[in-house]
Amino acid sequence: MAKKAPAGVGPRYPQVVVLFGATGDLSKRKLLPGLFHLASAGFIPDCRIIGVSLDELDTDAFRDTARGALDEFFSRKVDEAHWQTFAGNLDYVPLSRGPVAVKAAVEAAEASLGTECRRLHYLSVPPSAALPAVRLLGEADLVANSRIIMEKPFGTDLASARTLNAKLHEVFAEEQIFRIDHFLGKEPAQNILAFRFANGLFEPIWNRNFIDHVQIDVPETLDLGRRAAFYEQTGAYRDMVVTHLFQILGFMAMEAPTSLEPVPISEEKNKVFRSMLPIQPANAVRGQYAGYRQQDGVDPESDTETFIALKCHIDNWRWAGVPFYLRTGKRLAEGQRIISIAFREPPKSMFPPGSGVGSQGPDHLTFDLADASKMSLSFYGKRPGPGMRLDKLSLQFAMRDTGLMGEVLEAYERLILDAMRGDRTLFTTAEGIERLWEVSMPLLDSPPPVRLYEPGSWGPKPIHQLIAPNAWRLPFERSWRAPNLMGG
């Protein structure tokens, strides 16, 4: 039996989950393992999961698929008793059987629960299949008492985003729609809110008077592999910046909400997006790694970017004049997810030449957004001994130091749980996503040419002119300390 859900954490009602794309890669890697953990750890009072996919499977074959996904991708040990319970709650409907069969499966699942419950529809499908799935749910009369999770991308430009939202709203109300961004489901992204608004030390300096510039840097070492054909229609900007990096920027730059409720937080994020100036082509560098055009499904003369770096501005009272530098790409030197905040340097230095002051750049506050989150605050301090020599030192915190790493939910687990609870704090609104496409249109309409870069590098050379006279924080001038290393 599953453990009792921690008070106030799980949803009030049992859940019937309709999982479209149930045999796909995301489902196997994240969704089925995540649902298993939520159910077996007691976060959900009870649930039934109905897989829907193109594959012509029966329920037993789907259960085999789910068990294979757990064996390969579940990060914890599978308890056999929990697995037997979970497997008994799985059902499967091939998409070819249509809305009548899906409706019958949902009604059977609800009857088996024997109490009031809620429906959660998860669309783990390509963009071209999202609206057909929405229409199927409408035809099956499965909209009432339900919420729907949509995977990115949410359109490819302003016109397509508006069309997508309009068609979604023909079936589901906006408050039922949860546009998922797994970056915001990570513990460190939410730690930004705690760091800013729970401490009196940092919020007073979180503005243009003390902050010189901000970097949001998400390089990846992976190539595109089998995703290359999909990526040809998308590119790094649409795939990563609109749906991930801008969302992180919203959390980092927003004003204090009136409460930590979903509506006030969404409103403050949307205010940031409304204040963003349109992204100009002159403030962006597009790149493509050497060898991309030789991959299957890629045009031999492709202009699709696998790398993007840009400078943007938030034209409001808090951030006027502070540049935000964003960078992401494939086949880069390291895989990192950081926000790095550079503070203004003192207006005058009384330290003698050769003291070391200024030699290693400004002080930085750095958030590492990886699952095992870390924070670092760098500063100049005196080197022991005679004379006045200064070195760059740092205060560091790692989540591992708390001994609570085992309590961390994976991003998809947290977001599925939030959607079940109706908590929209970490999800994107229709207004927010349309505004981000609006500010993106100058760049999308007149993109600068792609520049080749070598795999394993940090991107095309012009990125250094983009950020001058500053410098990219990655690669770091110093490494993170080893976990649980005390002192130093």
Side-chain angles (χ1 to χ4, degrees), residues 188-236:
Q190 296 157 78
N191 218 0
I192 296 169
L193 293 181
F195 189 85
R196 285 188 60 187
F197 301 128
N199 300 296
L201 177 61
F202 294 100
E203 184 58 23
I205 61 171
W206 208 267
N207 57 58
R208 62 189 300 273
N209 296 322
F210 297 93
I211 292 176
D212 182 77
H213 65 276
V214 177
Q215 295 180 35
I216 301 175
D217 212 350
V218 186
E220 298 180 295
T221 57
L222 300 174
D223 67 8
L224 288 160
R226 293 177 297 174
R227 295 184 66 229
F230 157 76
Y231 211 77
E232 263 295 272
Q233 312 304 317
T234 309

Side-chain angles (χ1 to χ4, degrees), residues 386-452:
M388 184 57 77
R389 289 282 300 166
L390 284 81
D391 292 321
K392 211 53 175 297
L393 309 172
S394 69
L395 298 172
Q396 294 187 9
F397 161 79
M399 185 66 70
R400 297 184 192 280
D401 297 339
T402 66
L404 297 174
M405 275 298 294
E407 303 296 316
V408 174
L409 288 177
E410 290 192 359
Y412 280 99
E413 295 173 356
R414 176 180 301 279
L415 293 169
I416 289 170
L417 195 64
D418 283 355
M420 288 177 172
R421 296 168 56 222
D423 185 339
R424 299 164 55 82
T425 303
L426 303 176
F427 295 86
T428 308
T429 65
E431 177 192 341
I433 202 68
E434 289 180 19
R435 173 58 184 166
L436 291 175
W437 284 121
E438 186 178 1
V439 302
S440 300
M441 291 317 296
L443 175 61
L444 296 178
D445 286 341
S446 303
V450 293
R451 300 172 182 270
L452 290 180

